[in-house]
Amino acid sequence: MINGINHITFAVSNLEKSVEFYVNVLGLRLVGKWDKGAYLLAGNQWVALNVESAVILDKKSDYTHISFNVLSTDFQKMKDKLESAGVKSFKENSSEGDSFYFLDPDGHK
């Protein structure tokens, strides 16, 4: 029986650029790094970055995405930080509550 999610992995084209984004822009904690990958923590959730030559850099048109938690008191500050870093939004928020839909350096939502 499945009792949770162990980790989420993103295929990335440039490890340094992705680590920079996930650590310095989003604020995940770097736990380990090697030549073709890295492990990070988003709160208690493991996130893995794995360098792959077959990364599709085209904007993905489906709604598959990951959603990160941010305290409501920190939402605007985080959104401003992402926008200041030049992070691209892929959709306007139309749901209840605050949401900012953005793309990582490889187009992951």
Side-chain angles (χ1 to χ4, degrees):
M1 197 99 196
I2 294 175
N3 63 6
I5 294 174
N6 182 273
H7 68 278
I8 296 162
T9 299
F10 291 109
V12 300
S13 59
N14 182 312
L15 184 62
E16 296 305 320
K17 187 175 181 179
S18 292
V19 167
E20 166 75 19
F21 175 77
Y22 281 95
V23 172
N24 295 328
V25 177
L26 293 186
L28 275 64
R29 185 165 59 96
L30 181 64
V31 177
K33 185 174 165 228
W34 57 99
D35 61 337
K36 296 288 185 183
Y39 284 131
L40 307 113
L41 279 173
N44 293 321
Q45 179 64 59
W46 287 92
V47 174
L49 304 176
N50 189 58
V51 176
E52 290 189 24
S53 59
V55 171
I56 299 169
L57 296 175
D58 293 334
K59 184 176 176 187
K60 294 130 181 99
S61 60
D62 65 27
Y63 190 58
T64 302
H65 68 280
I66 182 172
S67 180
F68 294 104
N69 288 329
V70 175
L71 293 174
S72 60
T73 54
D74 293 336
F75 177 79
Q76 191 60 51
K77 182 178 175 183
M78 177 57 88
K79 182 179 181 209
D80 292 345
K81 181 178 181 180
L82 291 167
E83 290 176 330
S84 293
V87 173
K88 292 184 172 62
S89 175
F90 69 88
K91 168 185 166 163
E92 290 297 318
N93 181 32
S94 60
S95 64
E96 298 260 340
D98 292 326
S99 293
F100 181 62
Y101 298 89
F102 63 89
L103 302 172
D104 81 353
D106 287 292
H108 299 292
K109 297 176 181 173

